[in-house]
Coordinates of all heavy atoms in Angstrom, one line a residue:
L1 N -84.3 -15.3 9.2 CA -84.4 -16.3 8.2 C -83.0 -16.8 7.8 O -82.0 -16.3 8.2 CB -85.0 -15.7 6.9 CG -86.4 -15.2 7.1 CD1 -87.0 -14.5 5.9 CD2 -87.4 -16.2 7.6
M2 N -82.9 -17.9 7.0 CA -81.6 -18.5 6.6 C -80.8 -17.4 5.9 O -81.3 -16.6 5.2 CB -81.9 -19.6 5.6 CG -82.4 -20.9 6.3 SD -82.5 -22.2 5.0 CE -83.9 -23.1 5.7
N3 N -79.5 -17.4 6.3 CA -78.5 -16.6 5.7 C -78.6 -15.1 6.1 O -77.9 -14.3 5.6 CB -78.4 -16.7 4.2 CG -77.5 -17.8 3.8 OD1 -76.4 -18.0 4.3 ND2 -77.9 -18.6 2.8
E4 N -79.5 -14.7 7.0 CA -79.6 -13.4 7.4 C -78.5 -13.1 8.5 O -78.5 -13.8 9.5 CB -81.0 -13.0 8.0 CG -82.0 -12.9 6.9 CD -83.4 -12.4 7.4 OE1 -83.8 -12.7 8.5 OE2 -84.0 -11.7 6.6
V5 N -77.7 -12.1 8.3 CA -76.7 -11.7 9.2 C -77.4 -11.0 10.4 O -78.2 -10.1 10.2 CB -75.7 -10.8 8.6 CG1 -74.7 -10.3 9.6 CG2 -75.0 -11.4 7.4
H6 N -77.1 -11.5 11.6 CA -77.8 -11.0 12.8 C -76.9 -10.9 14.0 O -75.9 -11.6 14.1 CB -79.0 -11.8 13.1 CG -78.7 -13.3 13.3 ND1 -78.5 -14.1 12.3 CD2 -78.7 -14.0 14.5 CE1 -78.3 -15.4 12.8 NE2 -78.4 -15.3 14.1
S7 N -77.3 -10.0 14.9 CA -76.6 -9.9 16.2 C -77.5 -9.3 17.2 O -78.5 -8.6 16.8 CB -75.3 -9.1 16.1 OG -75.6 -7.8 15.8
F8 N -77.2 -9.5 18.5 CA -78.0 -8.9 19.6 C -77.0 -8.3 20.6 O -75.9 -8.9 20.8 CB -78.8 -10.0 20.2 CG -79.8 -10.6 19.3 CD1 -79.5 -11.7 18.5 CD2 -81.0 -10.0 19.1 CE1 -80.4 -12.3 17.6 CE2 -82.0 -10.6 18.2 CZ -81.6 -11.7 17.5
K9 N -77.4 -7.2 21.1 CA -76.6 -6.5 22.1 C -77.4 -6.1 23.3 O -78.6 -5.7 23.1 CB -76.0 -5.2 21.5 CG -75.1 -4.4 22.4 CD -74.5 -3.2 21.7 CE -73.6 -2.5 22.8 NZ -73.1 -1.3 22.2
N10 N -76.8 -6.3 24.5 CA -77.5 -5.9 25.7 C -77.1 -4.5 26.0 O -75.9 -4.3 26.4 CB -77.2 -6.9 26.8 CG -77.9 -6.5 28.1 OD1 -78.4 -5.5 28.2 ND2 -77.9 -7.4 29.1
N11 N -78.0 -3.5 25.9 CA -77.7 -2.2 26.3 C -78.6 -1.8 27.5 O -78.8 -0.6 27.8 CB -77.7 -1.2 25.2 CG -79.1 -1.2 24.4 OD1 -80.0 -1.8 24.9 ND2 -79.1 -0.6 23.2
G12 N -79.1 -2.8 28.2 CA -80.0 -2.5 29.3 C -79.2 -2.6 30.6 O -77.9 -2.7 30.6
T13 N -79.9 -2.7 31.7 CA -79.3 -2.7 33.1 C -79.3 -4.1 33.7 O -78.8 -4.3 34.8 CB -80.0 -1.8 34.0 OG1 -81.4 -2.1 34.1 CG2 -79.8 -0.3 33.5
Q14 N -79.9 -5.1 33.0 CA -79.9 -6.5 33.5 C -79.6 -7.4 32.4 O -79.6 -7.0 31.2 CB -81.3 -6.8 34.2 CG -82.5 -6.5 33.3 CD -83.8 -6.7 34.0 OE1 -83.9 -7.6 34.9 NE2 -84.8 -5.8 33.7
D15 N -79.5 -8.7 32.7 CA -79.2 -9.7 31.6 C -80.3 -9.7 30.6 O -81.5 -9.5 30.9 CB -79.1 -11.1 32.2 CG -77.8 -11.3 33.0 OD1 -76.9 -10.5 33.0 OD2 -77.7 -12.4 33.6
L16 N -79.8 -9.8 29.3 CA -80.8 -9.9 28.2 C -80.8 -11.4 27.9 O -79.9 -12.0 27.5 CB -80.2 -9.1 27.0 CG -81.0 -9.2 25.7 CD1 -82.5 -8.7 25.9 CD2 -80.4 -8.4 24.6
E17 N -82.0 -12.0 28.1 CA -82.2 -13.4 28.0 C -83.2 -13.8 26.9 O -84.2 -13.2 26.8 CB -82.7 -13.9 29.4 CG -82.8 -15.3 29.6 CD -83.3 -15.7 31.0 OE1 -83.6 -14.8 31.8 OE2 -83.3 -16.9 31.3
F18 N -82.8 -14.8 26.1 CA -83.6 -15.3 25.0 C -83.9 -16.8 25.1 O -83.0 -17.5 25.6 CB -82.8 -15.1 23.7 CG -82.4 -13.7 23.3 CD1 -81.2 -13.2 23.6 CD2 -83.3 -13.0 22.6 CE1 -80.8 -11.9 23.3 CE2 -82.9 -11.7 22.2 CZ -81.7 -11.2 22.5
M19 N -85.0 -17.1 24.6 CA -85.3 -18.5 24.2 C -85.2 -18.5 22.7 O -85.8 -17.7 22.0 CB -86.7 -19.0 24.6 CG -87.0 -20.4 24.1 SD -88.6 -21.0 24.6 CE -89.7 -19.8 23.9
I20 N -84.4 -19.4 22.1 CA -84.2 -19.5 20.7 C -84.8 -20.8 20.1 O -84.4 -21.9 20.6 CB -82.7 -19.4 20.3 CG1 -82.0 -18.2 21.0 CG2 -82.5 -19.4 18.8 CD1 -80.5 -18.3 20.9
V21 N -85.7 -20.6 19.2 CA -86.2 -21.8 18.5 C -85.7 -21.8 17.1 O -85.8 -20.8 16.3 CB -87.8 -21.7 18.5 CG1 -88.3 -22.9 17.7 CG2 -88.3 -21.7 19.9
G22 N -85.0 -22.9 16.7 CA -84.4 -23.0 15.4 C -85.0 -24.1 14.6 O -85.3 -25.2 15.2
V23 N -85.1 -23.9 13.3 CA -85.6 -25.0 12.4 C -84.5 -25.1 11.3 O -84.2 -24.2 10.6 CB -86.9 -24.7 11.8 CG1 -87.3 -25.8 10.8 CG2 -88.0 -24.4 12.8
A24 N -83.9 -26.3 11.2 CA -82.8 -26.6 10.3 C -83.4 -27.1 9.0 O -84.4 -27.9 9.0 CB -81.8 -27.6 10.8
S25 N -82.8 -26.8 7.9 CA -83.2 -27.3 6.6 C -82.7 -28.7 6.4 O -83.3 -29.5 5.6 CB -82.7 -26.4 5.4 OG -81.3 -26.4 5.4
Q26 N -81.7 -29.1 7.2 CA -81.2 -30.5 7.1 C -80.9 -30.9 8.5 O -80.3 -30.3 9.3 CB -79.9 -30.4 6.3 CG -79.3 -31.8 6.1 CD -78.0 -31.7 5.2 OE1 -77.6 -30.7 4.8 NE2 -77.3 -32.9 5.1

């Protein structure tokens, strides 16, 4: 959600791959 501090770490054995969908308030 907005203003939530976040991070992602790859601790696996292959690439950690994301699709990110974002919705802006402006």
Side-chain angles (χ1 to χ4, degrees):
L1 301 177
M2 287 183 211
N3 274 316
E4 288 188 324
V5 177
H6 56 285
S7 67
F8 297 92
K9 180 179 180 181
N10 183 346
N11 54 15
T13 59
Q14 56 187 322
D15 286 354
L16 178 57
E17 186 177 4
F18 298 94
M19 173 178 62
I20 307 166
V21 178
V23 178
S25 63
Q26 186 178 354

